[in-house]
Amino acid sequence: MRVKYFRIVFIFAMIAILGIAVFCFFIDYIYNSFRDEVIVSVGNPVYKEFYTSGGFQDYTDFGIYKFKNVDLSSNKYLAPVTKKDKYELLSYISEFEDCVEAIKRNTPENELVVNYDFDESCISEYDYLYIYDKSDYEETYKDHKYAYFNVYFFDSETQTLYFFHNNI
């Protein structure tokens, strides 16, 4: 009789352990699915702000991530800003700001509109940049530059990573 209860307890314990393992795997999968590899490649921010507007398949995001003592010389995403890069960066920021203005016309109290404060005068030759534009990678977007982009700009002087996303 005692062996029978032991088996039942043992089976329930194994089911519980298996359930916990599956739950942990699921949580880890969800966490890793939603993290941004470029931001993670810089390190752990000491401060972050993130603002968004829109919803599924039509949204605009702006993020500010502050770091301490970051060395990006061997970062696999971010590369030093060249003169050509600066013009491209400014074109994306201009497009982004046009979207912020469009949001402002409809909802001036939107958190993104209220908190967007990027100042392009911070761009210098010591900064880093990574631009992901789907028109460079996916056939569907080939003729639609600026339709879906992520821009990561790292200001070396302030150790701040700015994130610009637009998906229209």
Side-chain angles (χ1 to χ4, degrees):
M1 190 82 135
R2 195 172 196 172
V3 172
K4 184 177 181 180
Y5 289 119
F6 177 75
R7 286 183 183 161
I8 292 172
V9 169
F10 179 76
I11 290 171
F12 280 117
M14 295 311 285
I15 290 171
I17 289 171
L18 181 63
I20 290 169
V22 168
F23 178 75
C24 290
F25 176 78
F26 178 73
I27 294 298
D28 185 57
Y29 174 78
I30 295 297
Y31 172 76
N32 288 325
S33 296
F34 291 105
R35 70 184 200 162
D36 188 307
E37 290 181 19
V38 178
I39 296 169
V40 169
S41 76
V42 177
N44 291 323
V46 293
Y47 174 81
K48 64 182 173 181
E49 295 176 40
F50 189 82
Y51 306 102
T52 190
S53 177
F56 182 72
Q57 290 293 2
D58 186 11
Y59 61 98
T60 304
D61 298 329
F62 176 63
I64 301 170
Y65 301 86
K66 295 189 181 272
F67 297 87
K68 284 195 177 198
N69 304 319
V70 173
D71 177 14
L72 297 176
S73 59
S74 61
N75 187 284
K76 70 179 187 178
Y77 297 103
L78 295 155
V81 175
T82 65
K83 283 186 179 190
K84 180 183 176 220
D85 292 336
K86 182 176 178 178
Y87 291 116
E88 186 172 19
L89 170 61
L90 291 173
S91 73
Y92 278 94
I93 290 174
S94 177
E95 182 69 26
F96 184 84
E97 289 176 347
D98 288 348
C99 291
V100 172
E101 282 300 315
I103 296 165
K104 185 177 182 177
R105 284 191 294 276
N106 295 323
T107 53
E109 71 284 350
N110 178 278
E111 70 172 358
L112 174 65
V113 170
V114 172
N115 293 289
Y116 178 73
D117 64 350
F118 182 76
D119 180 5
E120 64 187 50
S121 69
C122 73
I123 303 169
S124 74
E125 64 186 72
Y126 304 107
D127 298 329
Y128 289 81
L129 176 67
Y130 175 70
I131 297 173
Y132 173 83
D133 188 326
K134 274 198 174 182
S135 67
D136 294 338
Y137 302 100
E138 293 186 20
E139 192 63 38
T140 331
Y141 290 93
K142 279 286 186 221
D143 298 325
H144 303 358
K145 187 174 179 88
Y146 306 119
Y148 185 115
F149 65 83
N150 291 334
V151 173
Y152 303 84
F153 169 72
F154 187 82
D155 178 18
S156 294
E157 293 171 26
T158 62
Q159 296 278 289
T160 303
L161 178 69
Y162 294 93
F163 171 67
F164 307 84
H165 168 81
N166 196 33
N167 180 16
I168 55 172

